[in-house]
């Protein structure tokens, strides 16, 4: 501000608030600004040097008036306490006083807003939505909302930081998703139905625990929800949960039910959005668990207003910046939180910075009102002291409280000193009633709400069988995948949270690729490192810096003890010529890692896909049948690597499966048997079809698949030195690709 001296533009006239309110705020801050010391905002460091002064404003006033009968309502009302209270007791005390005053105002039929001069004579009554209560955090919000509820006054809490992912509904919904994903798991089912979200009574829970028939019915219902989730997605499943279990009617009959329903619907939308980027139910469950743990404050997760009804708004001061309300209550104007000494900052400096911030927040709070401001000034204390610590609060500083003002009986004198010698009748200062003497006046609705209209007949149509499919979804129920353990398994030691059973009497070939742990978690880790190496052009061999970075990645992800083996193995991977292609990864210049694809499926079945793959791919090799499923909507996936070499495009999928103890175990027959057992040939041909469609779209008439499409490869990384160099190649079969195209684009059955 000093650096821009002479170029300051100041808004000298307040157009928001009535004259008396602006004058009252001027009085409060000018008292501190004119007082000997550091100024209103505590920036004055010399008697004549204040880089950030308080500048009083003139008022334009408002044509609309807030009246009680024919008289204007007081523009500023300060209610003070003279008994030292802990923060908890102060919140209870002034929360009661605030809620009671609001109930009194709302019940008074004489309190009305008079319209502008050009609309003279038109008045409207005071409504709950005209009132805002400004607080610092959820604790203060809970204290005042509790008292509002006791008086039958509905309110909404608005914060710029509160995430729906921290709500009880998010944690309960996680239990529900786990149960629906495994509908025959009794333990998960009981945990889900015991949540507050399901709202079951104790007798209902007792029956669920003792009546096998009743429990079986609940499991059957979970099975139905599971089918909906698979066929239509998570959002339809959650909406079906609401309606079939009749949850909204149960929730809305209870206090806080509207909040619960709003959070549930909000979470359902967030989950639907997330599911588009994830593959399967378990991935979505894991995503929600991590989101709850992280509780990131994204715009999408900020708690929503549960209703557009006539509600008192309880708003954090931070969120109220730039806003205005007809009547503002600041019931806890003297609360504060002592600063802590951090790093090089002394306790004294931290307290000074805290008080400066509190002053800025208080300024925001007292300048939000148009017509009336209600302030609660309590004799607060923090910690074990019995003395009043008003001087530590922003309000105390403005009133001139010092460390000598430890007697709460000094508060009325401080207030009088600030608002004298020319008190305005629009400013009212009065003591707060003792907490036990504050009545609980019920809010009386002035008019019955209008009758609900009859809902229009819904005639819309939508597809219930539309969904998003993937290879993982297609093979999810294969017996071969349900028993994922390979003939050879070894322990992943203490570095992994997932235990893989070890088999005795297994002698492994003493090389990195066979020593490295087996299982899905190690496989996922290896895929991540290869995706990262692709970003580095696979330039690992002879690159000391890249090798060091790979070692650090191993350490950070819990594989530090195997870092040397990982580096050695992946260096072999990037320098081994790809079978069929004839060149190593490090020598390829044109490639695309993690190619994401989506393409439409008009009307198809897994049986048709299965029949074509069995007929054209790996002939004579036995394989489990795909589970019968109807595919309609979109098919999506991620190809590990698409590469271009010498005029041909190839799809490569890395496989970390363990098929034996040494290189010799990875012969062509074993590789084909493994591919067939897991139906990897279906995955490979789907990825090749996606590439085929992309090239056909991009290259148009210049595309010649016979000469430009190389094929698909399942590359078993543990077998790169074996007889087949780890590769199971699927050559291009245009008849198969055209047949799959026809299956996926077939006309829907009417």
């Amino acid at each position: 501000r000093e650096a821009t001296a002479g170029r300051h533009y100041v808004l000298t006239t307040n157009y928001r608030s009535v004259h008396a309110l602006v004058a009252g705020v001027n009085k409060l801050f000018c008292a501190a600004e004119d007082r000997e010391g550091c100024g209103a905002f505590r920036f004055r460091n010399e008697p004549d040097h204040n880089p950030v002064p308080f500048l009083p404003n003139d008022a334009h006033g408002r044509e609309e008036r807030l009246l009680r009968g024919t008289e204007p309502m007081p523009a500023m009302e300060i209610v003070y306490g003279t008994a030292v209270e802990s923060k908890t007791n102060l919140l209870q005390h002034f929360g009661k006083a605030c809620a009671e005053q609001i109930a009194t105002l709302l019940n008074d039929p004489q309190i009305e807003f008079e319209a502008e001069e050009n609309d003279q004579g038109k008045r409207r009554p005071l409504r709950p939505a005209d009132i805002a209560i400004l607080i610092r955090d959820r604790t203060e919000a809970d204290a005042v909302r509790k008292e509002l509820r006791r008086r039958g006054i509905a309110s909404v809490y608005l914060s710029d930081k509160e995430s729906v992912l921290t709500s009880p509904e998010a944690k309960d919904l996680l239990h529900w998703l786990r149960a629906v994903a495994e509908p025959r798991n009794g333990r998960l089912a009981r945990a889900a139905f015991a949540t507050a979200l399901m709202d079951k009574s104790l007798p209902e829970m007792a029956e669920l625990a003792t009546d096998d028939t009743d429990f079986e019915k609940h499991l059957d219902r979970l099975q139905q929800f599971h089918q909906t989730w698979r066929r239509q997605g998570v959002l339809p499943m959650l909406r079906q949960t609401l309606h079939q279990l009749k949850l909204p009617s149960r929730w809305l009959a209870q206090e806080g039910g509207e909040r619960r329903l709003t959070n549930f619907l909000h979470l359902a939308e967030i989950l639907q959005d997330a599911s588009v980027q994830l593959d399967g139910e378990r991935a979505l469950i894991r995503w929600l668990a991590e989101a709850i743990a992280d509780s990131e404050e994204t715009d999408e997760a900020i708690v929503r207003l549960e209703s557009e009804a006539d509600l008192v708004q309880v708003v954090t001061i931070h969120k109220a910046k730039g806003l205005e309300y007809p009547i503002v209550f600041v019931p806890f104007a003297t609360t504060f939180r002592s600063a802590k000494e951090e790093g090089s900052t002394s306790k004294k400096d931290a307290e000074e910075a805290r008080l400066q911030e509190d002053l800025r927040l208080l300024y925001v709070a007292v300048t939000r009102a148009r017509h009336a401001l209600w302030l609660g000034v309590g004799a607060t204390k923090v910690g074990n002291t019995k003395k009043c610590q008003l001087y530590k609060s922003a309000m105390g500083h403005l009133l001139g409280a010092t460390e000598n003002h430890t007697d709460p009986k000094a508060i009325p004198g401080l207030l009088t000193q600030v608002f004298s010698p020319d008190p305005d009748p629009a400013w009212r200062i009065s003591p707060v009633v003792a907490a036990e003497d504050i009545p609980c006046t019920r809010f009386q609705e002035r008019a019955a709400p209008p009758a609900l209209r009859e809902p229009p007949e819904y005639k819309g149509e939508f597809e219930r069988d539309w969904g998003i499919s993937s290879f993982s979804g297609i093979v999810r129920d294969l017996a071969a995948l349900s028993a994922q353990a390979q003939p050879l398994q070894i322990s992943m030691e203490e570095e992994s949270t997932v235990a893989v059973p070890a088999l005795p009497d297994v002698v492994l070939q003493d090389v990195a690729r066979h020593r490295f742990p087996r299982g899905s978690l190690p496989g996922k880790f290896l895929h991540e490192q290869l995706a990262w190496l692709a970003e580095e052009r696979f330039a690992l061999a002879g690159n000391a810096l890249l090798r060091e970075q790979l070692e650090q990645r191993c350490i950070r992800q819990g594989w530090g003890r195997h870092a040397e083996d990982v580096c050695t193995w992946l260096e072999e991977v990037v320098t081994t010529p790809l079978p069929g292609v004839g060149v190593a990864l490090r020598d390829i210049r044109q490639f695309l890692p993690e190619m994401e694809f989506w393409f439409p499926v008009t009307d198809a079945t897994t049986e048709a896909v299965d029949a074509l793959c069995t007929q054209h791919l790996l002939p004579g090799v036995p394989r489990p049948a795909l589970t019968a499923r109807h595919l309609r909507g979109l098919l999506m996936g991620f190809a590990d690597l698409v590469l271009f070499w010498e005029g041909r495009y190839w799809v490569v999928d890395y496989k970390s499966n363990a098929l034996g103890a040494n290189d010799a175990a990875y012969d062509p027959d074993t590789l084909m048997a493994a591919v067939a057992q897991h139906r990897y040939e279906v995955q490979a041909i789907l990825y090749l079809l996606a590439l085929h469609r992309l090239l056909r779209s991009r290259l148009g008439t210049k595309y010649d698949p016979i000469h430009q499409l190389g094929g698909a490869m399942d590359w078993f990384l543990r077998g790169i030195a074996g007889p087949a160099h780890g590769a199971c190649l699927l050559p291009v079969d245009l008849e198969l690709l055209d047949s799959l195209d026809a299956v996926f684009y077939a006309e829907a059955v009417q």
Side-chain angles (χ1 to χ4, degrees):
R1 193 173 186 279
E2 289 182 329
T4 57
R7 290 177 286 149
H8 296 160
Y9 293 87
V10 180
L11 300 176
T12 58
T13 303
N14 181 306
Y15 287 83
R16 171 181 296 148
S17 308
V18 296
H19 288 275
L21 188 51
V22 173
V25 173
N26 283 342
K27 273 279 188 183
L28 185 60
F29 280 84
C30 283
E33 186 67 27
D34 298 340
R35 193 180 299 121
E36 197 174 303
C38 52
F41 296 111
R42 300 187 67 86
F43 278 96
R44 183 190 293 142
N45 48 29
E46 296 176 11
D48 297 324
H49 182 245
N50 187 355
V52 186
F54 172 78
L55 302 176
N57 270 26
D58 295 329
H60 177 271
R62 301 188 70 92
E63 294 180 350
E64 179 189 61
R65 297 191 301 165
L66 178 62
L67 305 173
R68 176 182 279 125
T70 58
E71 296 298 319
M73 286 284 294
M76 180 181 289
E77 185 166 359
I78 302 176
V79 176
Y80 65 86
T82 56
V84 179
E85 296 181 290
S86 66
K87 183 175 180 179
T88 300
N89 290 341
L90 186 141
L91 294 187
Q92 294 174 351
H93 190 177
F94 280 82
K96 280 185 177 181
C98 172
E100 183 62 24
Q101 178 65 9
I102 291 173
T104 301
L105 294 177
L106 291 174
N107 286 342
D108 190 338
Q110 289 191 304
I111 298 180
E112 296 175 306
F113 288 96
E114 185 178 69
E116 300 176 357
E117 288 182 1
N118 59 3
D119 205 4
Q120 195 75 25
K122 289 195 174 181
R123 294 191 176 193
R124 70 168 182 85
L126 176 68
R127 303 192 309 265
D130 294 319
I131 298 172
I133 305 173
L134 303 188
I135 40 78
R136 296 282 294 270
D137 52 34
R138 171 172 276 283
T139 303
E140 294 185 2
D142 288 345
V144 73
R145 293 189 74 199
K146 175 184 176 182
E147 294 301 326
L148 289 172
R149 284 194 297 270
R150 290 183 62 213
R151 290 159 177 81
I153 301 173
S155 66
V156 59
Y157 173 48
L158 300 172
S159 167
D160 60 349
K161 293 184 177 180
E162 188 178 21
S163 169
V164 72
L165 293 168
T166 64
S167 67
E169 289 75 28
K171 298 178 180 63
D172 287 353
L173 195 53
L174 181 59
H175 285 294
W176 183 248
L177 293 183
R178 285 170 174 161
V180 174
E182 296 185 50
R184 308 310 296 178
N185 187 318
R187 180 180 60 83
L188 294 179
R190 286 189 170 89
F193 282 110
T195 60
L197 206 61
M198 294 297 107
D199 194 39
K200 287 194 172 294
S201 64
L202 285 176
E204 287 175 320
M205 288 304 302
E207 185 176 5
L208 194 63
T210 57
D211 188 334
D212 290 343
T213 303
D214 181 59
F215 186 57
E216 194 64 31
K217 289 180 180 177
H218 281 74
L219 294 184
D220 290 342
R221 179 160 276 175
L222 286 174
Q223 185 71 46
Q224 295 170 9
F225 292 142
H226 187 218
Q227 292 302 320
T228 301
W229 190 352
R230 282 190 168 181
R231 294 175 58 198
Q232 301 178 36
V234 67
L235 182 58
M237 181 274 287
L238 291 174
R239 287 190 173 271
Q240 193 178 89
T241 297
L242 285 177
H243 295 300
Q244 290 196 11
L245 301 184
K246 297 180 172 57
L247 295 177
S249 59
R250 300 179 70 148
W251 295 344
L252 294 175
Q254 305 168 8
E255 185 178 290
E258 196 170 14
R259 173 79 273 156
R260 181 178 291 175
L261 178 58
T262 302
N263 285 351
F264 183 96
L265 295 173
H266 188 180
L267 287 162
E269 290 183 25
I270 290 175
L271 287 167
Q272 178 64 32
D273 289 341
S275 69
V276 174
Q277 307 297 328
L278 300 168
D279 189 9
E281 296 98 331
R282 298 188 185 282
L284 186 60
I285 291 169
R286 184 167 58 251
W287 178 89
L288 179 59
E290 292 173 354
I292 291 172
D294 296 340
S295 298
E296 294 184 3
E297 296 168 4
T298 62
D299 290 342
E300 293 79 9
I302 296 299
V303 170
R304 293 175 177 172
L305 183 68
E306 62 255 49
S307 171
E308 294 183 357
D310 204 4
L311 305 174
V312 171
Q313 300 176 67
V314 182
V315 192
T316 58
I317 299 173
H318 278 285
K319 191 171 183 66
K321 288 179 180 178
L323 303 178
E324 60 183 68
Y325 310 92
I327 300 178
V328 169
F329 283 73
V330 186
F332 314 117
T334 56
T335 58
F336 64 92
R337 183 181 298 163
S338 293
K340 295 181 180 179
E341 185 175 342
E342 295 182 4
S344 60
T345 304
S346 67
K347 179 67 180 296
K348 181 180 179 182
D349 289 342
E351 271 292 298
E352 179 64 22
R354 188 271 308 166
L355 182 52
Q356 288 178 335
E357 173 65 11
D358 285 355
L359 282 163
R360 291 190 285 271
L361 285 174
L362 183 61
Y363 177 79
V364 170
V366 300
T367 55
R368 299 305 96 198
R370 295 181 200 151
H371 296 279
L373 173 67
W374 190 95
L375 291 172
V377 178
T380 188
K381 72 180 185 71
V382 174
N384 296 323
T385 182
K386 295 182 179 179
K387 296 180 179 179
C388 173
Q389 294 178 310
L390 178 68
Y391 67 92
K392 288 188 175 183
S393 70
M395 178 60 76
H397 166 69
L398 296 179
L399 294 177
T402 67
E403 294 185 40
N404 297 324
H405 293 97
T406 57
D407 185 352
K409 292 184 173 57
I411 292 177
L414 292 172
L415 288 167
T416 302
Q417 187 175 353
V418 166
F419 290 97
S420 291
D422 53 343
D424 190 301
W427 309 330
R428 180 181 296 171
I429 301 173
S430 59
V432 69
V433 178
E436 59 273 15
D437 295 332
I438 296 176
C440 185
T441 303
R442 295 289 297 180
F443 170 48
Q444 305 296 322
E445 292 278 1
R446 296 186 184 179
L452 295 176
R453 293 179 298 170
E454 286 297 320
E457 182 183 356
Y458 180 70
K459 298 180 180 179
E461 296 181 359
F462 55 92
E463 296 184 41
R464 293 184 177 275
D465 293 334
W466 195 97
I468 297 174
S469 307
S470 65
F471 170 72
S472 301
I474 290 172
V475 301
R476 186 181 292 116
D477 293 334
L478 286 184
L481 291 184
S482 64
Q484 190 67 258
Q486 300 296 323
L488 177 64
Q489 296 280 347
I490 67 170
S491 170
M492 289 162 58
E493 304 177 16
E494 72 281 357
E495 293 170 332
S496 170
T497 58
V498 180
V500 176
L503 296 179
D505 304 324
V506 172
V507 179
L508 297 174
Q509 185 176 344
D510 192 24
V511 291
R513 57 186 173 275
H514 294 300
R515 285 194 301 260
F516 193 73
R518 277 73 168 160
S520 60
L521 192 61
K524 183 176 183 294
F525 169 74
L526 287 170
H527 276 68
E528 289 173 354
Q529 306 323 304
L530 283 165
W532 169 72
L533 282 173
E535 298 174 4
E536 304 295 333
R537 314 294 305 178
F538 296 111
L540 180 61
N543 190 326
L545 177 60
L546 205 57
R547 187 182 181 97
E548 181 182 351
Q549 291 176 346
L550 181 55
E551 290 175 352
Q552 291 300 316
R553 289 173 66 88
C554 293
I555 293 169
R556 285 196 300 270
Q557 297 187 50
W559 298 95
R561 293 180 59 183
H562 300 282
E564 183 62 31
D565 279 351
V566 171
C567 292
T568 300
W569 184 10
L570 294 187
E571 187 170 332
E572 293 174 347
V573 169
V574 301
T575 56
T576 298
L578 286 160
V581 183
V583 67
L585 291 176
R586 68 173 179 178
D587 298 321
I588 298 174
R589 291 293 171 262
Q590 292 177 276
F591 57 83
L592 176 63
E594 299 294 319
M595 183 191 80
E596 180 181 4
F597 67 85
W598 299 74
F599 62 73
V601 180
T602 306
D603 193 61
T605 64
T606 53
E607 294 98 323
V609 174
D610 197 358
L612 285 171
C613 290
T614 303
Q615 177 186 350
H616 290 268
L617 302 174
L618 308 177
V621 181
R623 68 203 78 184
L626 296 178
T627 303
R629 278 201 181 86
H630 189 78
L631 305 178
R632 188 175 185 178
L634 290 172
L635 186 69
M636 61 83 66
F638 293 86
D640 287 344
L641 187 69
V642 172
L643 60 91
F644 178 74
W645 180 254
E646 294 186 344
R648 288 182 177 270
Y649 295 88
W650 299 79
V651 174
V652 179
D653 208 68
Y654 310 126
K655 302 299 181 188
S656 61
N657 306 51
L659 306 180
N662 52 46
D663 293 336
Y666 292 81
D667 59 82
D669 290 341
T670 302
L671 296 182
M672 285 192 293
V675 168
Q677 179 191 17
H678 295 282
R679 301 308 305 267
Y680 290 151
E681 88 283 10
V682 177
Q683 180 186 30
I685 201 63
L686 291 177
Y687 290 4
L688 191 61
L689 176 61
L691 177 59
H692 175 55
R693 286 182 167 181
L694 177 64
L695 294 174
R696 189 170 60 194
S697 171
R698 296 287 177 85
L699 301 180
T701 57
K702 296 180 181 180
Y703 176 50
D704 179 6
I706 294 177
H707 296 99
Q708 292 178 288
L709 200 58
M713 178 194 309
D714 286 316
W715 200 21
F716 290 80
L717 302 179
R718 297 181 194 269
I720 55 177
H725 301 289
C728 182
L729 286 169
L730 298 179
V732 175
D733 185 332
L734 288 181
E735 182 183 350
L736 172 58
L737 293 176
D738 290 342
S739 298
L740 283 173
D741 247 341
V743 166
F744 289 131
Y745 279 141
E747 290 299 324
V749 178
Q750 297 299 321

